[in-house]
Amino acid sequence: MSKIKTAFFCQNCGYESAKWTGKCPACNQWNTFVEEKVQKELPLHRQEWKSTKADQPRAPKVVHLDAVEGIEEKRWLTPDGELNRVLGGGIVAGSLVLVGGEPGIGKSTLFLQNALMLKNIKTLYISGEESEQQIKMRADRLKIRNDQFYLLTETSTQAIFQEIRKLEPQLVIVDSIQTLQSPLIESAPGSVSQIRETAAEMQRFAKESNTPVFLIGHITKDGSIAGPKVLEHMVDTVLQFEGDQHYAYRILRTIKNRFGSTAELGIYEMTGQGLRQVSNPSEILISQRDDMLSGVAIAATIEGMRPMLVEVQALVTQSVYGTPQRTATGFDLRRLQLLLAVLEKRGGFHFGVKDVFLNIAGGIKVEDPSIDLAVLCALLSSYEDVGISHKNCFAGEVGLSGEIRAVNRIEQRIAEAEKLGFEKIFISKYHKKGLDFSKFNIEVVPLGRVEEVYRLLF
């Protein structure tokens, strides 16, 4: 029998210590150490994943960089264009992808739906949380049939790899990594050592067999992926599935990607028949209205490589309490306070005695500083109770001195506004250099200061 030892692991970052300590020396969190059983010496009959093609390990060999042949990554294009976008052009063979998101946001539905749509790829869906009947019920609701789709409800990695050797799938989906348990580690499923070991076994399987593996993961109450931080370092790609359960729209965002850009995102709409791809998000994020309502402005923003138009809604009212309220949904509250200070100092508007509420319509979060100008115009519109034409949109960053700064890829923003039928777009005058306005069928209005915006619109 092998000797079983115990060690203490930080539940926040995975730091290992021989004895309990109050403060983690790695992440500086208090009272996060938990004792777990660790089996240091592994018996020969309890081996982890081994490739069926070559059981003998490859001898290490030093090679010169110039002697290594460069090959293009083999990618599979899925029927889901949004998933292809966030993965950088499709699924890379042998890649390990981690997907996190809130409970009930639709992670399992998204990847069950994509697995069923891959008609010519043998897929194994491993579930440690749901029974076969539950998955069958969801598949019936999606109304997609696939003869190459297989289910396995198991949590032991040893049993999982035995079934993988028999089936030899081309794609593996694990739901979720926190439920898996390796027989090489004696601690409970979901512990730091178990997550680290099971993820390492899945990584070795993916690289040795050249099979892509998707790991669905839980997240903690602060929004980070549960388990040690080393889990995110081990995988090739980290995706975040986010959105408000009270809204129909979901966003699949790239946090880390070794095979593509991390600036991409995919947008879905949750329906009764699963998740629907949203190819033109601007049309759903802008309310269809004919009348001029105060406190509403349209911003031309860019998420990843995709230009979008979003609706910014502001409400400015007289404060009835001693301290004015500041509330922002989908926008950084500190950025809102900064813009209010600019209006107070540079424009002479007395927002210090007003309650201010700001909302980005559609339930999405926008971090692009180019929507500053739209936020500022929405605030002024509500302050003056004067509506802005629904045929106008804005793209510009506001500086602390009240100047309107240039933003990147302005031509894409103008083209998107023109495509959706807008008549005017207000941008920074510092874009004049090297930009030909004559090729656009939309009126481009260059501005330099906050005061010019107020004079033009109000």
Side-chain angles (χ1 to χ4, degrees), residues 326 333-352 356 376 379 398-402 450:
R326 302 283 186 263
L333 181 59
R334 291 171 297 182
R335 189 77 184 170
L336 172 61
Q337 293 170 339
L338 182 149
L339 294 174
L340 291 173
V342 170
L343 287 173
E344 186 99 22
K345 176 75 173 177
R346 307 298 176 187
F349 298 97
H350 301 294
F351 281 94
V356 177
L376 187 140
L379 292 170
V398 177
L400 291 180
S401 60
V450 171

mmCIF file of all heavy atoms in Angstrom, residues 326 333-352 356 376 379 398-402 450:
data_model
loop_
_atom_site.group_PDB
_atom_site.id
_atom_site.type_symbol
_atom_site.label_atom_id
_atom_site.label_comp_id
_atom_site.label_asym_id
_atom_site.label_seq_id
_atom_site.Cartn_x
_atom_site.Cartn_y
_atom_site.Cartn_z
ATOM 1 N N ARG A 326 -26.134 57.871 -6.901
ATOM 2 C CA ARG A 326 -25.461 57.607 -8.175
ATOM 3 C C ARG A 326 -25.583 56.110 -8.443
ATOM 4 O O ARG A 326 -25.004 55.294 -7.736
ATOM 5 C CB ARG A 326 -23.976 57.981 -8.107
ATOM 6 C CG ARG A 326 -23.719 59.444 -7.747
ATOM 7 C CD ARG A 326 -23.972 60.340 -8.949
ATOM 8 N NE ARG A 326 -23.609 61.729 -8.684
ATOM 9 C CZ ARG A 326 -24.454 62.665 -8.317
ATOM 10 N NH1 ARG A 326 -25.741 62.361 -8.148
ATOM 11 N NH2 ARG A 326 -24.063 63.906 -8.111
ATOM 12 N N LEU A 333 -19.437 52.690 -12.496
ATOM 13 C CA LEU A 333 -19.947 53.777 -11.658
ATOM 14 C C LEU A 333 -18.908 54.864 -11.449
ATOM 15 O O LEU A 333 -19.227 56.060 -11.423
ATOM 16 C CB LEU A 333 -20.401 53.203 -10.303
ATOM 17 C CG LEU A 333 -20.993 54.197 -9.309
ATOM 18 C CD1 LEU A 333 -22.217 54.894 -9.883
ATOM 19 C CD2 LEU A 333 -21.340 53.505 -7.994
ATOM 20 N N ARG A 334 -17.640 54.489 -11.318
ATOM 21 C CA ARG A 334 -16.581 55.489 -11.135
ATOM 22 C C ARG A 334 -16.414 56.350 -12.380
ATOM 23 O O ARG A 334 -16.123 57.541 -12.291
ATOM 24 C CB ARG A 334 -15.264 54.792 -10.791
ATOM 25 C CG ARG A 334 -15.256 54.142 -9.405
ATOM 26 C CD ARG A 334 -14.042 53.296 -9.186
ATOM 27 N NE ARG A 334 -14.005 52.179 -10.111
ATOM 28 C CZ ARG A 334 -13.057 51.254 -10.114
ATOM 29 N NH1 ARG A 334 -12.058 51.335 -9.255
ATOM 30 N NH2 ARG A 334 -13.084 50.251 -10.962
ATOM 31 N N ARG A 335 -16.608 55.732 -13.549
ATOM 32 C CA ARG A 335 -16.541 56.508 -14.795
ATOM 33 C C ARG A 335 -17.698 57.502 -14.866
ATOM 34 O O ARG A 335 -17.544 58.629 -15.345
ATOM 35 C CB ARG A 335 -16.603 55.538 -15.974
ATOM 36 C CG ARG A 335 -16.318 56.173 -17.325
ATOM 37 C CD ARG A 335 -14.848 56.399 -17.519
ATOM 38 N NE ARG A 335 -14.552 57.099 -18.770
ATOM 39 C CZ ARG A 335 -13.357 57.573 -19.077
ATOM 40 N NH1 ARG A 335 -12.355 57.456 -18.226
ATOM 41 N NH2 ARG A 335 -13.153 58.193 -20.220
ATOM 42 N N LEU A 336 -18.863 57.104 -14.383
ATOM 43 C CA LEU A 336 -20.010 58.003 -14.353
ATOM 44 C C LEU A 336 -19.734 59.205 -13.450
ATOM 45 O O LEU A 336 -20.031 60.359 -13.816
ATOM 46 C CB LEU A 336 -21.252 57.245 -13.874
ATOM 47 C CG LEU A 336 -22.502 58.079 -13.592
ATOM 48 C CD1 LEU A 336 -22.974 58.809 -14.841
ATOM 49 C CD2 LEU A 336 -23.608 57.211 -13.011
ATOM 50 N N GLN A 337 -19.155 58.945 -12.287
ATOM 51 C CA GLN A 337 -18.834 60.043 -11.371
ATOM 52 C C GLN A 337 -17.808 60.989 -11.984
ATOM 53 O O GLN A 337 -17.881 62.204 -11.793
ATOM 54 C CB GLN A 337 -18.321 59.467 -10.052
ATOM 55 C CG GLN A 337 -19.401 58.717 -9.279
ATOM 56 C CD GLN A 337 -18.833 57.939 -8.105
ATOM 57 O OE1 GLN A 337 -17.649 57.632 -8.054
ATOM 58 N NE2 GLN A 337 -19.688 57.605 -7.138
ATOM 59 N N LEU A 338 -16.880 60.427 -12.769
ATOM 60 C CA LEU A 338 -15.882 61.257 -13.451
ATOM 61 C C LEU A 338 -16.559 62.186 -14.465
ATOM 62 O O LEU A 338 -16.252 63.381 -14.530
ATOM 63 C CB LEU A 338 -14.860 60.348 -14.129
ATOM 64 C CG LEU A 338 -13.686 60.970 -14.882
ATOM 65 C CD1 LEU A 338 -12.478 60.041 -14.782
ATOM 66 C CD2 LEU A 338 -14.012 61.206 -16.342
ATOM 67 N N LEU A 339 -17.482 61.640 -15.260
ATOM 68 C CA LEU A 339 -18.175 62.450 -16.264
ATOM 69 C C LEU A 339 -19.041 63.524 -15.617
ATOM 70 O O LEU A 339 -19.151 64.647 -16.128
ATOM 71 C CB LEU A 339 -19.019 61.552 -17.169
ATOM 72 C CG LEU A 339 -18.240 60.576 -18.058
ATOM 73 C CD1 LEU A 339 -19.188 59.657 -18.801
ATOM 74 C CD2 LEU A 339 -17.348 61.323 -19.035
ATOM 75 N N LEU A 340 -19.655 63.199 -14.489
ATOM 76 C CA LEU A 340 -20.453 64.201 -13.767
ATOM 77 C C LEU A 340 -19.565 65.335 -13.260
ATOM 78 O O LEU A 340 -19.957 66.514 -13.290
ATOM 79 C CB LEU A 340 -21.196 63.544 -12.604
ATOM 80 C CG LEU A 340 -22.327 62.582 -12.996
ATOM 81 C CD1 LEU A 340 -22.871 61.882 -11.759
ATOM 82 C CD2 LEU A 340 -23.442 63.318 -13.716
ATOM 83 N N ALA A 341 -18.356 64.978 -12.801
ATOM 84 C CA ALA A 341 -17.423 66.005 -12.331
ATOM 85 C C ALA A 341 -16.966 66.906 -13.475
ATOM 86 O O ALA A 341 -16.811 68.116 -13.310
ATOM 87 C CB ALA A 341 -16.209 65.336 -11.669
ATOM 88 N N VAL A 342 -16.777 66.325 -14.673
ATOM 89 C CA VAL A 342 -16.405 67.121 -15.849
ATOM 90 C C VAL A 342 -17.521 68.097 -16.203
ATOM 91 O O VAL A 342 -17.279 69.283 -16.473
ATOM 92 C CB VAL A 342 -16.079 66.201 -17.045
ATOM 93 C CG1 VAL A 342 -15.938 67.004 -18.328
ATOM 94 C CG2 VAL A 342 -14.800 65.412 -16.789
ATOM 95 N N LEU A 343 -18.768 67.632 -16.184
ATOM 96 C CA LEU A 343 -19.903 68.511 -16.489
ATOM 97 C C LEU A 343 -20.048 69.612 -15.446
ATOM 98 O O LEU A 343 -20.415 70.748 -15.760
ATOM 99 C CB LEU A 343 -21.187 67.682 -16.565
ATOM 100 C CG LEU A 343 -21.351 66.801 -17.811
ATOM 101 C CD1 LEU A 343 -22.573 65.907 -17.668
ATOM 102 C CD2 LEU A 343 -21.466 67.655 -19.053
ATOM 103 N N GLU A 344 -19.762 69.276 -14.191
ATOM 104 C CA GLU A 344 -19.873 70.263 -13.111
ATOM 105 C C GLU A 344 -18.792 71.338 -13.243
ATOM 106 O O GLU A 344 -19.062 72.534 -13.115
ATOM 107 C CB GLU A 344 -19.735 69.542 -11.764
ATOM 108 C CG GLU A 344 -19.969 70.407 -10.555
ATOM 109 C CD GLU A 344 -21.374 70.253 -9.992
ATOM 110 O OE1 GLU A 344 -22.012 69.229 -10.245
ATOM 111 O OE2 GLU A 344 -21.807 71.182 -9.305
ATOM 112 N N LYS A 345 -17.572 70.892 -13.531
ATOM 113 C CA LYS A 345 -16.438 71.824 -13.567
ATOM 114 C C LYS A 345 -16.352 72.591 -14.880
ATOM 115 O O LYS A 345 -16.181 73.816 -14.896
ATOM 116 C CB LYS A 345 -15.143 71.020 -13.339
ATOM 117 C CG LYS A 345 -13.862 71.824 -13.446
ATOM 118 C CD LYS A 345 -13.646 72.695 -12.228
ATOM 119 C CE LYS A 345 -12.282 73.376 -12.272
ATOM 120 N NZ LYS A 345 -12.088 74.274 -11.118
ATOM 121 N N ARG A 346 -16.456 71.874 -16.009
ATOM 122 C CA ARG A 346 -16.231 72.490 -17.315
ATOM 123 C C ARG A 346 -17.491 73.102 -17.918
ATOM 124 O O ARG A 346 -17.407 74.023 -18.722
ATOM 125 C CB ARG A 346 -15.665 71.457 -18.293
ATOM 126 C CG ARG A 346 -14.429 70.725 -17.799
ATOM 127 C CD ARG A 346 -13.275 71.668 -17.565
ATOM 128 N NE ARG A 346 -12.107 70.964 -17.002
ATOM 129 C CZ ARG A 346 -11.025 71.571 -16.575
ATOM 130 N NH1 ARG A 346 -10.938 72.891 -16.640
ATOM 131 N NH2 ARG A 346 -10.022 70.885 -16.060
ATOM 132 N N GLY A 347 -18.664 72.552 -17.546
ATOM 133 C CA GLY A 347 -19.900 73.041 -18.141
ATOM 134 C C GLY A 347 -20.752 73.885 -17.227
ATOM 135 O O GLY A 347 -21.693 74.548 -17.679
ATOM 136 N N GLY A 348 -20.464 73.844 -15.915
ATOM 137 C CA GLY A 348 -21.226 74.635 -14.964
ATOM 138 C C GLY A 348 -22.592 74.064 -14.620
ATOM 139 O O GLY A 348 -23.465 74.776 -14.107
ATOM 140 N N PHE A 349 -22.807 72.780 -14.865
ATOM 141 C CA PHE A 349 -24.085 72.141 -14.531
ATOM 142 C C PHE A 349 -24.034 71.626 -13.097
ATOM 143 O O PHE A 349 -23.075 70.977 -12.688
ATOM 144 C CB PHE A 349 -24.361 70.989 -15.495
ATOM 145 C CG PHE A 349 -24.481 71.422 -16.929
ATOM 146 C CD1 PHE A 349 -23.391 71.328 -17.782
ATOM 147 C CD2 PHE A 349 -25.660 71.945 -17.412
ATOM 148 C CE1 PHE A 349 -23.479 71.735 -19.098
ATOM 149 C CE2 PHE A 349 -25.767 72.344 -18.730
ATOM 150 C CZ PHE A 349 -24.667 72.251 -19.572
ATOM 151 N N HIS A 350 -25.090 71.860 -12.344
ATOM 152 C CA HIS A 350 -25.098 71.530 -10.917
ATOM 153 C C HIS A 350 -25.674 70.128 -10.696
ATOM 154 O O HIS A 350 -26.818 69.949 -10.263
ATOM 155 C CB HIS A 350 -25.899 72.573 -10.142
ATOM 156 C CG HIS A 350 -25.364 73.962 -10.282
ATOM 157 N ND1 HIS A 350 -24.131 74.331 -9.786
ATOM 158 C CD2 HIS A 350 -25.858 75.066 -10.908
ATOM 159 C CE1 HIS A 350 -23.896 75.613 -10.067
ATOM 160 N NE2 HIS A 350 -24.944 76.074 -10.751
ATOM 161 N N PHE A 351 -24.851 69.129 -11.007
ATOM 162 C CA PHE A 351 -25.259 67.748 -10.776
ATOM 163 C C PHE A 351 -25.061 67.331 -9.316
ATOM 164 O O PHE A 351 -25.503 66.265 -8.920
ATOM 165 C CB PHE A 351 -24.464 66.799 -11.683
ATOM 166 C CG PHE A 351 -24.962 66.760 -13.098
ATOM 167 C CD1 PHE A 351 -24.397 67.577 -14.063
ATOM 168 C CD2 PHE A 351 -25.988 65.914 -13.459
ATOM 169 C CE1 PHE A 351 -24.848 67.553 -15.370
ATOM 170 C CE2 PHE A 351 -26.447 65.880 -14.770
ATOM 171 C CZ PHE A 351 -25.879 66.703 -15.724
ATOM 172 N N GLY A 352 -24.390 68.173 -8.540
ATOM 173 C CA GLY A 352 -24.126 67.825 -7.145
ATOM 174 C C GLY A 352 -25.373 67.755 -6.292
ATOM 175 O O GLY A 352 -25.348 67.175 -5.201
ATOM 176 N N VAL A 356 -28.696 60.735 -9.969
ATOM 177 C CA VAL A 356 -28.373 60.339 -11.332
ATOM 178 C C VAL A 356 -28.455 58.816 -11.450
ATOM 179 O O VAL A 356 -27.835 58.097 -10.674
ATOM 180 C CB VAL A 356 -26.960 60.813 -11.743
ATOM 181 C CG1 VAL A 356 -26.626 60.324 -13.150
ATOM 182 C CG2 VAL A 356 -26.869 62.328 -11.683
ATOM 183 N N LEU A 376 -22.616 61.316 -21.678
ATOM 184 C CA LEU A 376 -22.669 62.740 -21.367
ATOM 185 C C LEU A 376 -23.894 63.403 -22.003
ATOM 186 O O LEU A 376 -24.590 64.196 -21.356
ATOM 187 C CB LEU A 376 -21.368 63.376 -21.866
ATOM 188 C CG LEU A 376 -21.108 64.835 -21.514
ATOM 189 C CD1 LEU A 376 -19.644 65.029 -21.155
ATOM 190 C CD2 LEU A 376 -21.448 65.726 -22.705
ATOM 191 N N LEU A 379 -27.074 62.361 -20.171
ATOM 192 C CA LEU A 379 -27.182 63.096 -18.897
ATOM 193 C C LEU A 379 -27.684 64.524 -19.133
ATOM 194 O O LEU A 379 -28.582 64.995 -18.421
ATOM 195 C CB LEU A 379 -25.825 63.118 -18.195
ATOM 196 C CG LEU A 379 -25.294 61.785 -17.655
ATOM 197 C CD1 LEU A 379 -23.844 61.928 -17.212
ATOM 198 C CD2 LEU A 379 -26.151 61.298 -16.491
ATOM 199 N N VAL A 398 -14.368 61.229 -23.440
ATOM 200 C CA VAL A 398 -14.330 62.554 -22.803
ATOM 201 C C VAL A 398 -13.171 62.602 -21.816
ATOM 202 O O VAL A 398 -13.060 61.744 -20.930
ATOM 203 C CB VAL A 398 -15.660 62.864 -22.104
ATOM 204 C CG1 VAL A 398 -15.582 64.214 -21.392
ATOM 205 C CG2 VAL A 398 -16.807 62.857 -23.108
ATOM 206 N N GLY A 399 -12.301 63.602 -21.978
ATOM 207 C CA GLY A 399 -11.166 63.763 -21.077
ATOM 208 C C GLY A 399 -11.510 64.623 -19.879
ATOM 209 O O GLY A 399 -12.579 65.247 -19.815
ATOM 210 N N LEU A 400 -10.600 64.689 -18.917
ATOM 211 C CA LEU A 400 -10.853 65.424 -17.670
ATOM 212 C C LEU A 400 -10.926 66.928 -17.897
ATOM 213 O O LEU A 400 -11.542 67.646 -17.107
ATOM 214 C CB LEU A 400 -9.752 65.108 -16.652
ATOM 215 C CG LEU A 400 -9.738 63.683 -16.093
ATOM 216 C CD1 LEU A 400 -8.593 63.521 -15.105
ATOM 217 C CD2 LEU A 400 -11.051 63.337 -15.420
ATOM 218 N N SER A 401 -10.324 67.421 -18.950
ATOM 219 C CA SER A 401 -10.384 68.857 -19.219
ATOM 220 C C SER A 401 -11.589 69.239 -20.081
ATOM 221 O O SER A 401 -11.714 70.388 -20.496
ATOM 222 C CB SER A 401 -9.094 69.321 -19.906
ATOM 223 O OG SER A 401 -8.927 68.635 -21.132
ATOM 224 N N GLY A 402 -12.475 68.259 -20.351
ATOM 225 C CA GLY A 402 -13.672 68.538 -21.124
ATOM 226 C C GLY A 402 -13.487 68.389 -22.614
ATOM 227 O O GLY A 402 -14.409 68.678 -23.385
ATOM 228 N N VAL A 450 -16.856 69.762 -24.717
ATOM 229 C CA VAL A 450 -18.182 69.467 -24.179
ATOM 230 C C VAL A 450 -19.141 70.624 -24.439
ATOM 231 O O VAL A 450 -20.321 70.424 -24.748
ATOM 232 C CB VAL A 450 -18.075 69.171 -22.666
ATOM 233 C CG1 VAL A 450 -19.448 69.075 -22.030
ATOM 234 C CG2 VAL A 450 -17.292 67.891 -22.441
#
